[in-house]
Amino acid sequence: MAEKIRHLLGLSGGKDSSALAIHMRDRVPEMEYFFTDTGKELPETYEFLNRLETFLGKPIVRLNMNLDPNKNRDFDHWLTLYKGLLPSSQVRWCTINLKIKPFEEYVGKDKVYHYIAIRADEDRIGYKPPKISSLRNIIPKYPFKDDGITKEDVYQILEESGLGLPDYYEWRTRSGCYFCFFQRKSEWVGLLEQHPELFELAKGYEKFNTETGERFTWSQGESLEELADPERIAQIKANTEKAKASKKKEKPNRRLIEILTDVHDDEDDEEPCLICHK
């Protein structure tokens, strides 16, 4: 009797993994879709996943969340265990505990094909397959690479499905927690303007140690309190608009989201967590 193989596709709430789910829907009818919920996602992300679930005609399994709130292993659960240490690009405990481990537990000992949304036009450090999990029973698959699917194709897949892009792409170009430390300055301004209540919640996580002078902030180099100063907001917006105008002049006939992505990519050189931002 042949060994049973499960087919899994993880969704981040981002454009690439969503387009991959649409692309694979009729190609692998037995596909299982899952979303590792941190409990701190944007409302737009949850809304888009609900619409995607309807399109796929299958449930998207939500990992980490439990019917009993006291048993949820969300961000706050792990923050308590880490004694208030905020995750950062150097200490990514959120990715490990909220994304990778729940995924591995969901897989268990089963043999699994894991479908990953790396596009054909991406060169992630010479295209070294990402190490999302070290378990040998999890075999990565890259359909976009195999089928030559590029960024332009991803936009087309989403548009033709009728789903389009999640609404947060109007001001943010990556999925992930609303307080993700990989957010750029202009994206923090976007959060403040679009979801001021979430900005305040994010601000509440930041700490200042009066004894040592250490600051624990989401955004490198400044606190959210400092970033929210009207003069600082005006400066960030002006810099972003200037960069957008420059990018648009370079290639005039592009989508706004593509221009904004280029601007944001120029702001940092750190690779975000693949499992969160695809």
Side-chain angles (χ1 to χ4, degrees):
M1 185 176 177
E3 181 183 11
K4 182 181 177 181
I5 299 177
R6 293 170 67 191
H7 299 261
L8 301 184
L9 195 158
L11 295 157
S12 68
K15 69 181 190 313
D16 290 343
S17 62
S18 300
L20 181 60
I22 296 167
H23 181 69
M24 300 303 296
R25 184 186 68 169
D26 299 324
R27 290 172 171 81
V28 183
E30 65 272 34
M31 187 76 78
E32 299 176 46
Y33 304 95
F34 68 93
F35 172 67
T36 46
D37 193 347
T38 64
K40 304 297 177 181
E41 311 293 334
L42 289 164
E44 294 95 326
T45 298
Y46 293 122
E47 187 274 334
F48 185 78
L49 287 172
N50 289 338
R51 290 198 289 122
L52 179 60
E53 191 171 50
T54 300
F55 179 89
L56 297 173
K58 277 189 174 183
I60 297 172
V61 177
R62 316 296 170 104
L63 305 183
N64 297 329
M65 295 295 103
N66 196 290
L67 291 176
D68 181 354
N70 295 320
K71 294 181 180 179
N72 285 346
R73 294 183 296 175
D74 60 5
F75 178 85
D76 289 334
H77 166 83
W78 288 105
L79 183 65
T80 300
L81 292 182
Y82 278 85
K83 298 180 180 179
L85 173 67
L86 294 180
S88 66
S89 57
Q90 288 74 41
V91 186
R92 303 186 192 186
W93 61 253
C94 50
T95 304
I96 296 169
N97 293 294
L98 286 162
K99 298 291 181 178
I100 296 174
K101 285 185 177 179
F103 166 57
E104 292 180 340
E105 289 173 8
Y106 181 59
V107 169
K109 295 182 179 180
D110 296 337
K111 185 173 182 181
V112 160
Y113 286 147
H114 181 211
Y115 296 81
I116 301 170
I118 292 184
R119 303 186 311 270
D121 57 345
E122 287 187 284
D123 183 20
R124 301 179 74 92
I125 317 177
Y127 182 53
K128 295 179 181 178
K131 191 175 182 181
I132 289 177
S133 175
S134 59
L135 298 184
R136 295 191 177 187
N137 56 314
I138 299 175
I139 303 166
K141 294 283 186 179
Y142 305 97
F144 281 171
K145 283 281 183 182
D146 297 337
D147 297 342
I149 302 294
T150 65
K151 184 188 293 184
E152 186 59 36
D153 297 318
V154 163
Y155 289 127
Q156 185 174 345
I157 289 169
L158 290 169
E159 287 169 4
E160 290 180 353
S161 73
L163 290 171
L165 291 165
D167 290 342
Y168 66 75
Y169 273 103
E170 294 176 6
W171 52 276
R172 194 180 197 241
T173 57
R174 289 174 181 166
S175 53
C177 300
Y178 64 80
F179 47 53
C180 181
F181 49 82
F182 278 115
Q183 281 188 113
R184 294 75 161 215
K185 305 292 185 180
S186 60
E187 292 175 315
W188 279 112
V189 172
L191 180 67
L192 174 60
E193 295 180 339
Q194 299 296 322
H195 299 289
E197 74 288 353
L198 296 183
F199 187 90
E200 287 301 312
L201 288 173
K203 193 164 68 172
Y205 285 103
E206 296 189 321
K207 294 180 176 65
F208 177 69
N209 190 320
T210 54
E211 293 182 3
T212 65
E214 286 183 289
R215 295 180 359 140
F216 301 91
T217 61
W218 292 117
S219 184
Q220 187 175 6
E222 64 185 328
S223 69
L224 295 186
E225 184 72 39
E226 293 164 339
L227 188 146
D229 179 86
E231 289 187 9
R232 178 66 176 128
I233 290 173
Q235 181 187 44
I236 292 170
K237 282 186 170 183
N239 290 341
T240 301
E241 289 304 315
K242 183 178 179 181
K244 281 166 63 177
S246 177
K247 292 293 181 183
K248 187 174 182 179
K249 189 175 180 181
E250 289 175 12
K251 296 179 182 179
N253 300 317
R254 289 192 301 163
R255 296 175 176 85
L256 178 60
I257 180 61
E258 293 179 274
I259 295 171
L260 190 57
T261 298
D262 282 354
V263 170
H264 286 164
D265 286 347
D266 284 349
E267 289 182 23
D268 57 29
D269 56 6
E270 287 189 296
E271 200 71 60
C273 304
L274 180 73
I275 200 167
C276 299
H277 296 288
K278 269 290 174 183

